[in-house]
Each structure stands twice: as structure tokens, then as C-alpha cells.
Amino acid sequence: MEEQAHSAISHSDIVVDLSGVCKTFHQKQRSERIRDIFSNLVRPQVRQVDALKDVTLQIHRGEVVAYAGPNGAGKSTTIKILSSLLTPDSGTVRVLGMDPKLERIRYVNRIGVVFGQRTELWWDQPVAATFEWKRVVWNIPRDRFEKSLEFVKEVLGLHDYFNSLARELSLGQRMRADMGLALLHEPEILFLDEPTIGVDVLAKRNMLDFVKELNRTRGVTIVLTSHDMSELEQLAGRMIMVDRGSIAFDGDFATLRRQFTDRRHLYLETDASTAPVLSSAELVRSDGNRHEFTFDAGVIGISEILEQVSAQTQVIDVETHRVSIDDVIADLYKQWNH
Amino acid sequence: MKNSSLTAVDAQFKHNLDLMNFEPLNKFNHLLRLWRVQGYLDLMWMTQDWKLFLTYYASDLFLNIAAVTGVLFLAERFDGIGVWTKPQVTFMLGYAMLVRGIMETLFGYNIFSISRRLGRGQLDHTLVQPHPVWMALLTEGFMPFSGSASIIPGLLLLLWSGTVLALDPTISWLFLALLNVAASATILLSFSFIWGSLAFWAPRATEEISSSASGLLRTLMPFPLDGLSFAMLSGLMTFLPVGFLAWYPARALLGLESDAWSELLTPTVAAIFSIIAVWIFKQGLKAYGRTGSQRYLSFGHRR
């Protein structure tokens, strides 16, 4: 056992290594016509859905990676493959030097998984009872368990409701308890699949702070999916975007903004109610002497715009804002759909 | 970004591997610990308040007694059923109650009704636990306090009928009786798993198939099958193995069967059924690995 342990230890800095991973699902198609009832039953048409197409990516130890994409892009399929719940059709998956499906028992002992709105808590039991259940199932030594428990209770603020029944908790409290539960066995990688779905703003912020803290102090590698881009931007140093099963972008958020568009809003207050006419900037609305434009900073600079404005009217006040990351992503999804 | 040293990583990995040292003895100890923690959860649930405790027990008891009362009344009215005397019928009913009680004690939380777990996508919770799937299925439904309502009445019926019948149980007879009870429970569980595994391939359509299939067996199990035609009896001893859940093993244990090996027939059938159930379930697990769950419902999971 001792020998096995040492030979199995991965000294590589790469903890997640996906190479050429493909996954296809089949969906039965049914027509709505009565005359097709028999053929729908006997020989239904089958549509092939390529959930993942030749996905290759590597994640290093200690990284926080946001994994995003529109609905049906392949995010959950990837997380399920990484959590040992699904087998790819082709390609190789190595996480912590192991094949998640073939070495499931050893593997799941080293990872933590949290699926949004799929609680691991025993519904009619106090939170504390589920934590005790986890200690036994994961065979965590008592002293290590006590230490981990103290840590998650403190950082996630579980003290107040640790002895309350799971069914009586709010969604935010339940998600925090689930997160604490996933960390009791000190996993090296944490997979979070939409962990903040349905959670209110404050609870969301607390959870995000906790994830940051966990990564900073314990070096836990974190892969999370979410539809909330500003949340991902706050948290992750790296963004991987999937579209229809393929990786469409892999880099940091600044690069993402630059690569696709560096769209900004410009608010001008002038001495005239007529908006100035600007090349490479689009008028959004005018409200009295206040005019709102959008422009791509990669195409035209702010000084150039101001020169154009000054030539037409007198500027009283200027304000510019970057569009939110959500807007950038929405534009991106729109582009992909076209 | 690289804020954990290699030594710390090695140490943690080694620690984690040590945790999962699944030698046979460790496996057995782990099983015992799992049963213990499930027993603890069940006790915690039952003792939430007195009203729950009493009403739950009472309603379970009524249900289980109602399941055998019809046959008991028939035996009382006609002073036995066919070749069976009243005490012999009572012995069979006690046996049937004990088998039901064992199933409800060991395989609660929809383990017995496995198609619900599969059909609702709840197997994912089992697959992220660091032990074999069979170990989780064997232990996660253990409800010694809330599930055992029919064990005691079943034992009382067996005791009463045994006394009236002047049974003189030897150690080997007791062993065979226990073996037969375990075998009947295994057949019931296997039957539920054989049908329930269909939920791997058709999760929505077959979500309730385990409870329907086993419900059929549980309804029929307290009836003596003597006097049925050969064709009907063959069906009830093979495809729909009602006969092995109480009738045949009770006959064998009461010495109503002339064959010397009759006490071993039910365990043999149990072995065949469990092999079929394991094989189908494994095929289903492979299919699940390819397709995963397309739906998820939290209903009935850990509640």
C-alpha cells in the first residue's frame, strides 16, 4: 500500500488534463402528426447532439477557472465527466493523475463536488448529523475531521444553524452547508456546478468570498460554472468558454474583453439638446442635453471622440463606463448564434 | 498560483489513500460503521418528537397487520386453508411478516424501490461517495428503528405458532430457518432490482416500476398456493417468485415437503435471482456511465 501510494502520487503541476474529449448524446425526435404515431413508436428519428467536440484543456494546481457558456454548450457534461459520473466517448481524461471513471473510489476521495440545488444534506436531520455521516462515509480520522469542521463552520458561518434541520434552512444557508460538507475531507480540487443559482446577493457574496479564501489559504484548485459573469469575473483568474461542445475561448477576462470587443458607454453633457454626430460611435439615447453613446475602444479612442464633439458643440461633462462582462458575453452568445 | 508545496500535496494524497485502504477486514469494519451511522440517523429522525414516533410506529404496524389479516381470518373461519392447519397458516404469515420487516429495516430510503432513485437521477449522489456502489446500496437504507415495525409482530406469530405446533427447533433447523428468511428477502430485493434496473434505460417511464413489481409480490405472499394448477404454480415459482417468499419455505420448515433438500431450494433460487439482478444492474450502471441522468428530482432522496 505504501509503495502504491508513492507510485500513484502525481508530481505534475497539471491537475486536470483533458485531451480530445468527445461526448455525443442521442435524442429521439417525434413529430406531432397523428399519422406518425406508429413510426414514432417503432422507428423514431434520432438526433445526434455533440455535447463535447474534441475538448482539450489543462488546469494547473491552485488555479480558479470559470467554465462558462450558453445553455446546452457542454458545461455540465464536462463537470460530470470530471466528477466521474459520465464516461467520454473518446479522448483521455486525467485528473490528479487518475482516470476518474476507472479509479472512481480513490478519485472521489480527493475531489469535492457541489451541484447547485442538489443538496447532499439529509433533509429531516440537523446539519450536524449529515456532517457526522460524511465523516463515517469518507472515513475521515476524528482529529482531522474536527479541524476541518471548525474551519468550515468559522469561515462559512455555520455556527448559527448547525443544529437546525436541513429542511428548515434557506437556500443560501443550505448551499453554504453543502459547500462545507464538500470540503470536510480536504479535497484538492473543487468542482462547483452553478453553486449560487437561486441564492440571494448577500449569500452569494459570502460564498464567493469563501471560495476565494479557500483558494488563497489552502491552494485548492477550483473549477466553477455559472451564468453570472460578473460573479465569475470576481472570482476566477481564467475563463474557459464553451460553445456547442467546443472551446471558444480560454484566457483571462481582460483578454476576453479585448478579443471580442472593448465596448464602452460614453455619457456626454453638452450645451445643446441635439446630439453631436460621431463616426464610430452609436447614439443610444438623448435626454435633454445629456447624450449616451456606445463605442468600441479598440476602434476609436476617447480623445478622438472628444475632438469630434468639441468641433460641434461645447462639452460640459464627460463620463465613460466599460460595459459589464454580462453584456460582453451576451453579445458573444449572439454572435455565436448567428 | 502555485501555493501548495509538493511535500504537502504528497502527504495529503498519502493520507487520502490510507483512508481508502479497502482490505477485506477494513471493508467489513467500514460496513459496520456505515450501518451504525445510518442507525444513528434513523434514531435521530424517530426521536424528533413523541407524536411522530408513536404515529409512525402505529400506522406502520396497522399496515403490516392488515396485509396478513385477511388470510388469518380465512384460516379462522374455515379452521385452516386446504392442507394447512390454523397454526401452520399463522407460521407462514409470521414468516411473511418477518421477510417484509427485514426488507423495510435494511433497504429503506428507496433502496428497495431502486427505480425511484435511478429514474430521478439520484444515483449521482452515490457515485461521488468513496466506496463501492454495492456498499452504499447495502447500508444506506438501514432503518432499524423506523423500519422494523413488522419484525416483532412477525416473530411473535412465529413464536405462538411454533408453540402450538410443538416445534422442537434444533440448532440446524434454526440455521435453516434464518437462511430461508434471508433467501426470501433476497428474492424480493432481487426481483425489485431486476425490474427497477429498467430505469437505467427508461428513467421517466419506469420510475415506479420497482414498487409496482414488488407490491405485486408483497400482496400475494401471504396466500398458501396449494391446489393451484401446475402451470399457474410454475409461474408463481419462477417468473413471479411469490411461492418462495413464504409459502414454500414455510412448507419446507414445517416438514410438509417430502424432499430432503427442500430447505435448500429457496436459498438456491435466491442465489439465481441475485446473480440475475447483479448482472442486469451492472449492465445498467455501464449504460448510466455512457448516458448519465437526463433528469433530476430531489423528491424521496434522504427524506
Side-chain angles (χ1 to χ4, degrees):
Chain A
M1 193 65 203
E2 192 77 3
E3 203 171 296
Q4 260 185 337
H6 286 292
S7 64
I9 290 169
S10 165
H11 290 272
S12 167
D13 192 40
I14 294 167
V15 287
V16 176
D17 190 359
L18 267 62
S19 174
V21 171
C22 298
K23 184 75 201 169
T24 303
F25 294 110
H26 296 95
Q27 285 177 349
K28 280 184 187 162
Q29 305 290 296
R30 287 184 174 84
S31 91
E32 78 293 355
R33 288 176 304 208
I34 289 182
R35 66 176 178 197
D36 293 336
I37 285 178
F38 189 69
S39 58
N40 281 342
L41 277 172
V42 179
R43 210 174 51 187
Q45 286 191 341
V46 176
R47 178 176 155 244
Q48 185 172 304
V49 180
D50 294 322
L52 293 177
K53 286 186 284 192
D54 197 24
V55 168
T56 297
L57 66 93
Q58 292 182 331
I59 295 172
H60 292 81
R61 189 177 291 282
E63 270 192 293
V64 180
V65 176
Y67 198 69
N71 289 330
K75 303 185 297 292
S76 290
T77 302
T78 311
I79 295 289
K80 281 187 174 180
I81 286 174
L82 291 174
S83 308
S84 80
L85 300 176
L86 212 51
T87 323
D89 295 337
S90 59
T92 55
V93 180
R94 305 293 294 174
V95 187
L96 298 164
M98 288 181 277
D99 181 318
K101 204 68 193 168
L102 296 178
E103 298 164 85
R104 183 185 68 81
I105 294 173
R106 277 195 319 148
Y107 175 69
V108 296
N109 203 35
R110 295 178 64 189
I111 63 160
V113 190
V114 177
F115 289 103
Q117 296 192 336
R118 281 192 191 192
T119 187
E120 281 292 329
L121 298 173
W122 287 79
W123 197 244
D124 289 313
Q125 300 282 351
V127 175
T130 305
F131 277 60
E132 176 59 18
W133 170 84
K134 165 102 184 194
R135 182 187 71 77
V136 175
V137 173
W138 265 255
N139 212 357
I140 307 168
R142 178 72 72 174
D143 54 340
R144 194 172 284 267
F145 171 76
E146 297 294 347
K147 235 167 73 182
S148 288
L149 183 62
E150 212 35 57
F151 171 74
V152 295
K153 273 166 88 175
E154 192 60 44
V155 186
L156 284 165
L158 305 183
H159 284 287
D160 293 343
Y161 54 87
F162 197 59
N163 292 313
S164 303
L165 297 181
R167 63 177 146 84
E168 290 170 351
L169 304 183
S170 69
L171 183 58
Q173 288 173 326
R174 211 184 307 150
M175 283 312 298
R176 266 148 64 196
D178 260 311
M179 189 86 91
L181 195 65
L183 294 168
L184 276 185
H185 62 293
E186 299 174 344
E188 292 163 60
I189 305 183
L190 192 57
F191 298 112
L192 306 172
D193 192 10
E194 303 194 30
T196 55
I197 194 164
V199 174
D200 70 50
V201 181
L202 183 64
K204 194 184 281 187
R205 191 190 296 163
N206 289 341
M207 275 177 63
L208 296 183
D209 288 345
F210 173 72
V211 171
K212 269 189 223 167
E213 179 71 4
L214 190 71
N215 172 256
R216 194 181 60 80
T217 58
R218 300 200 158 191
V220 177
T221 308
I222 291 161
V223 180
L224 84 157
T225 72
S226 174
H227 285 291
D228 186 334
M229 293 300 154
S230 44
E231 169 185 312
L232 293 178
E233 190 175 26
Q234 273 179 56
L235 202 61
R238 178 180 166 197
M239 165 81 135
I240 297 173
M241 295 199 70
V242 275
D243 176 42
R244 278 166 283 191
S246 301
I247 292 183
F249 175 82
D250 185 353
D252 58 31
F253 281 84
T255 312
L256 177 72
R257 283 175 183 278
R258 272 200 308 276
Q259 186 168 327
F260 290 99
T261 173
D262 194 0
R263 201 151 61 82
R264 302 189 188 190
H265 285 277
L266 169 70
Y267 299 93
L268 280 176
E269 198 177 334
T270 63
D271 62 353
S273 59
T274 312
V277 180
L278 305 174
S279 63
S280 305
E282 196 182 319
L283 178 68
V284 178
R285 69 173 72 88
S286 286
D287 183 10
N289 292 359
R290 191 174 162 83
H291 314 287
E292 182 187 341
F293 293 86
T294 62
F295 68 99
D296 186 344
V299 176
I300 185 168
I302 184 74
S303 55
E304 205 179 323
I305 290 179
L306 288 177
E307 268 175 36
Q308 288 183 28
V309 176
S310 305
Q312 298 174 46
T313 183
Q314 192 184 339
V315 179
I316 297 169
D317 193 15
V318 180
E319 224 179 284
T320 62
H321 292 295
R322 278 187 153 177
V323 297
S324 72
I325 191 72
D326 287 295
D327 288 339
V328 174
I329 301 298
D331 285 351
L332 201 57
Y333 288 175
K334 222 182 283 173
Q335 275 181 35
W336 287 345
N337 277 332
H338 289 302
Chain B
M1 190 152 287
K2 300 168 192 172
N3 42 9
S4 59
S5 72
L6 198 64
T7 325
V9 172
D10 286 358
Q12 179 164 19
F13 186 25
K14 188 181 171 314
H15 153 72
N16 286 336
L17 280 179
D18 288 344
L19 294 184
M20 300 317 295
N21 183 6
F22 269 121
E23 298 300 319
L25 187 64
N26 287 344
K27 244 183 210 172
F28 183 68
N29 287 336
H30 189 61
L31 267 179
L32 291 182
R33 281 196 296 268
L34 291 172
W35 271 315
R36 196 174 60 199
V37 77
Q38 291 299 145
Y40 152 79
L41 289 175
D42 191 38
L43 183 65
M44 293 285 284
W45 183 77
M46 279 300 282
T47 53
Q48 276 176 52
D49 67 72
W50 280 106
K51 276 178 284 179
L52 177 85
F53 184 84
L54 292 174
T55 51
Y56 187 86
Y57 244 105
S59 60
D60 226 28
L61 196 64
F62 295 153
L63 273 175
N64 287 310
I65 290 174
V68 296
T69 308
V71 179
L72 206 60
F73 283 175
L74 281 176
E76 179 64 31
R77 170 67 183 79
F78 299 106
D79 197 22
I81 298 177
V83 295
W84 294 73
T85 64
K86 245 185 341 188
Q88 284 174 335
V89 170
T90 312
F91 182 88
M92 192 188 78
L93 294 179
Y95 184 98
M97 277 189 95
L98 192 59
V99 170
R100 280 178 73 118
I102 287 173
M103 294 313 300
E104 282 154 16
T105 305
L106 291 176
F107 301 104
Y109 290 118
N110 285 338
I111 299 284
F112 181 63
S113 299
I114 191 69
S115 60
R116 288 185 182 154
R117 280 199 169 203
L118 303 177
R120 295 170 187 171
Q122 293 162 0
L123 193 68
D124 288 359
H125 293 280
T126 305
L127 293 173
V128 294
Q129 292 175 24
H131 48 212
V133 172
W134 66 262
M135 206 179 255
L137 295 176
L138 196 59
T139 55
E140 211 170 286
F142 186 48
M143 301 165 81
F145 300 98
S146 61
S148 59
S150 47
I151 287 186
I152 294 167
L155 283 173
L156 287 175
L157 287 180
L158 284 175
L159 203 65
W160 178 82
S161 55
T163 312
V164 176
L165 291 165
L167 287 180
D168 185 18
T170 59
I171 296 288
S172 63
W173 186 90
L174 281 174
F175 171 75
L176 284 171
L178 282 176
L179 185 67
N180 273 267
V181 168
S184 297
T186 305
I187 293 170
L188 190 54
L189 182 68
S190 301
F191 192 74
S192 176
F193 265 63
I194 289 169
W195 284 100
S197 296
L198 292 177
F200 279 119
W201 294 277
R204 191 183 293 272
T206 57
E207 187 182 322
E208 286 297 334
I209 200 165
S210 283
S211 38
S212 310
S214 60
L216 179 64
L217 293 191
R218 285 194 287 187
T219 308
L220 294 175
M221 71 191 276
F223 291 95
L225 304 181
D226 306 77
L228 294 180
S229 67
F230 177 75
M232 198 177 271
L233 196 58
S234 302
L236 293 174
M237 301 292 278
T238 49
F239 301 110
L240 198 65
V242 176
F244 290 108
L245 299 182
W247 175 71
Y248 186 84
R251 279 183 68 91
L253 291 168
L254 291 174
L256 300 176
E257 283 292 325
S258 51
D259 190 347
W261 297 98
S262 58
E263 293 100 334
L264 295 177
L265 184 59
T266 305
T268 308
V269 172
I272 295 167
F273 265 90
S274 51
I275 288 169
I276 297 170
V278 168
W279 184 79
I280 292 181
F281 192 79
K282 277 188 169 176
Q283 299 306 309
L285 265 182
K286 278 186 204 163
Y288 192 85
R290 289 191 296 271
T291 58
S293 62
Q294 302 300 311
R295 66 199 289 247
Y296 179 80
L297 296 173
S298 61
F299 182 70
H301 181 246
R302 295 185 181 169
R303 53 181 83 184

